[in-house]
Amino acid sequence: MPVTPVLTRRWNTPESWTIDTYHRLDGYVALRTALAGDPDDLIKLIKDSGLRGRGGAGFPTGMKWGFIPQGDGRPHYLVINADEGEPGTCKDAPLMKADPHSLVEGIIIAAYAVRASRAFIYLRGELIHAGRRLRAAVAEAYAAGYLGRDILGSGFDLELVVHSGAGAYICGEETALLDSLEGRRGQPRLRPPFPATHGLYASPTVVNNVETIATVPYIVNYGVDWFRTMGRERAPGPKIFSLSGHVTRPGQYEVPMGTTLRELLELAGGVRGGRALKAWTPGGSSTPMLTAEHLDAPLDFEGMQEAGSLLGTAALMIMDDTTDMLRVVRRLTQFYAHESCGKCTPCREGTSWMVKILSRLERGQGDASDVDTLVDACDNIFGRAFCALADGATSPIVSGIKYFRDEFIPVSAVTTKPDPTPGGAAAGDGSPAPTPGAYAGAH
């Protein structure tokens, strides 16, 4: 399975992050082409390309741009969601460090298309190195005349700001991001109205992911037909997949959309130590886990839905047959309980209680009914909150129990069943108690 270096083509070039290197490798050529055309033609180009959002939801990018009302007399904004904070997700940070100008050029083109005169990159606070590279690239772009007033004599003006957040996972949700950018506590907004009409400062706003916008210059340079030679009909183009966990060569692999995990594992040297694959996530911790049965499912939006999961951010966390699934699920649920903003009762209370139940099961102090309680709690949380954090918190639990239910049932729940024999264990015959911390499927 060959890689498809498009967004990653400059990553191994010496000083790939500088504007000089970017210029040598077709940098800012697409910007000149875009500024010479009509903004509506740009929106149509992105629509025709079939580019879908690379931040998780997979919404058609050109359609999102087309929602922005024109001639309304209000300022328009473009906001880049660079708050990459989900466990397993690590594609945007290396892109911003290795090739920040591809993002800057994409931003200028996208802002021109939606008639935005202000753009913001909302960067996760912990990504300090990426922030330095981005700010240096923005400064170089200003110096070269690609940002500011009358860009390349086109009459188009754009100011670009890199804003570092405080490291809250909830701010990866677009409306919570907008609240944070406005100086308020990051919490999701009730929708409608949607950001397309009432976004940043109650004005029309486009919010796009880093990888999505960095793809735009390539489509402008090489066209729709070229872009559609990669991927599948409903999900064309290349995609950066991040492999982590129990894999021989973890890292970022850029391949066409629709590639399978089996093919990606071949590129990455397989599961570590030649062990068997037990479970994996297609798109980070918020997507339902899959098993070795799904090795040949296409890694695109529809392919993952058919397999019972989601593509998400294409962050594949690989788990081999030594993995303690109960421990994995408990740790992930702790993350969501910690990162819940607390606005919605089902999420705030539900995630906390699920951590308590999972911890009790891990200590071997629960019983089989706790597993049913977890499933019931997830059913009462899913779809009942302002944003998808609550839904994501249920994914590891529901999928973990679906495929590995026996590992969630404590040994004590099995060994202390009523004994029909007179004087048996149920009658208290002095049988030894289960070892604390032991549970089915322990490794």
Side-chain angles (χ1 to χ4, degrees):
M1 175 68 199
V3 295
T4 308
V6 178
L7 282 88
T8 58
R9 61 189 287 257
R10 301 184 186 93
W11 286 18
N12 289 328
T13 306
E15 296 189 330
S16 62
W17 54 89
T18 65
I19 197 169
D20 290 339
T21 300
Y22 194 67
H23 278 149
R24 288 199 304 271
L25 298 172
D26 301 327
Y28 292 106
V29 173
L31 176 60
R32 290 178 168 82
T33 302
L35 293 178
D38 185 84
D40 288 334
D41 291 338
L42 272 175
I43 294 176
K44 183 178 185 302
L45 176 73
I46 301 304
K47 282 183 178 178
D48 292 345
S49 73
L51 174 64
R52 295 172 66 174
R54 302 314 202 218
F59 194 83
T61 304
M63 185 181 297
K64 179 181 278 192
W65 291 7
F67 287 155
I68 300 297
Q70 300 302 333
D72 57 345
R74 291 189 292 168
H76 295 175
Y77 298 102
L78 172 66
V79 178
I80 306 304
N81 187 343
D83 191 81
E84 186 174 54
E86 179 162 327
T89 305
C90 50
K91 62 182 180 62
D92 293 339
L95 190 154
M96 290 184 287
K97 287 189 289 186
D99 193 12
H101 280 283
S102 64
L103 174 59
V104 173
E105 184 178 15
I107 288 171
I108 305 167
I109 295 171
Y112 177 68
V114 302
R115 286 85 163 179
S117 59
R118 296 287 187 277
F120 300 86
I121 302 174
Y122 188 96
L123 181 70
R124 188 167 185 83
E126 291 91 340
L127 302 179
I128 296 172
H129 190 35
R132 291 194 187 108
R133 290 275 171 86
L134 276 176
R135 290 184 173 90
V138 169
E140 288 181 321
Y142 268 108
Y146 300 137
L147 288 169
R149 299 187 62 81
D150 191 24
I151 297 172
L152 299 178
S154 65
F156 175 60
D157 305 334
L158 179 66
E159 302 297 330
L160 175 59
V161 174
V162 179
H163 176 89
S164 291
Y169 174 71
I170 189 64
C171 291
E173 194 278 331
E174 64 176 10
T175 61
L177 184 156
L178 295 176
D179 265 19
S180 177
L181 197 53
E182 291 175 0
R184 294 195 289 270
R185 180 179 179 180
Q187 289 187 325
R189 301 174 181 177
L190 179 64
R191 290 175 289 186
F194 294 94
T197 57
H198 294 77
L200 188 66
Y201 307 124
S203 296
T205 303
V206 169
V207 182
N208 276 137
N209 174 258
V210 169
E211 187 184 357
T212 309
I213 293 298
T215 305
V216 168
Y218 298 97
I219 298 174
V220 174
N221 273 339
Y222 305 119
V224 168
D225 292 340
W226 164 83
F227 189 73
R228 284 190 170 275
T229 61
M230 296 168 280
R232 300 212 297 172
E233 176 64 27
R234 296 180 64 182
K239 179 78 184 74
I240 300 175
F241 291 87
S242 303
L243 271 70
S244 62
H246 301 160
V247 61
T248 303
R249 293 190 295 272
Q252 285 72 43
Y253 294 84
E254 187 177 12
V255 294
M257 290 281 274
T259 300
T260 67
L261 177 59
R262 187 184 300 278
E263 293 169 320
L264 281 170
L265 283 175
E266 289 177 5
L267 288 173
V271 179
R272 66 170 187 182
R275 300 199 71 95
L277 175 67
K278 183 174 183 178
W280 57 286
T281 66
S285 61
S286 66
T287 57
M289 290 184 285
L290 297 175
T291 68
E293 297 176 5
H294 306 98
L295 271 170
D296 296 310
L299 284 163
D300 63 9
F301 304 103
E302 284 70 36
M304 286 297 95
Q305 287 178 351
E306 291 169 4
S309 188
L310 299 165
L311 182 65
T313 54
L316 290 85
M317 295 191 290
I318 309 301
M319 292 166 264
D320 67 18
D321 55 5
T322 67
T323 305
D324 180 338
M325 299 309 299
L326 175 55
R327 186 175 183 223
V328 167
V329 171
R330 189 264 301 163
R331 286 172 65 87
L332 292 178
T333 307
Q334 278 184 315
F335 169 81
Y336 288 105
H338 177 267
E339 293 293 341
S340 173
C341 73
K343 183 172 185 175
C344 309
T345 302
C347 180
R348 181 186 67 244
E349 300 297 326
T351 53
S352 177
W353 277 104
M354 289 193 299
V355 169
K356 293 176 182 177
I357 295 172
L358 287 164
S359 298
R360 186 166 66 241
L361 287 170
E362 193 173 9
R363 293 192 302 267
Q365 298 172 348
D367 57 44
S369 67
D370 285 326
V371 179
D372 296 326
T373 300
L374 282 170
V375 174
D376 183 64
C378 289
D379 185 56
N380 281 282
I381 292 171
F382 187 88
R384 290 172 171 82
F386 276 77
C387 78
L389 186 150
D391 294 354
T394 68
S395 291
I397 298 173
V398 173
S399 58
I401 292 174
K402 175 181 178 181
Y403 294 114
F404 309 102
R405 187 182 184 95
D406 288 348
E407 296 193 31
F408 286 75
I409 301 174
V411 170
S412 58
V414 178
T415 58
T416 60
K417 288 182 179 179
D419 190 338
T421 306
D429 63 347
S431 300
T435 303
Y439 50 92
H443 298 286

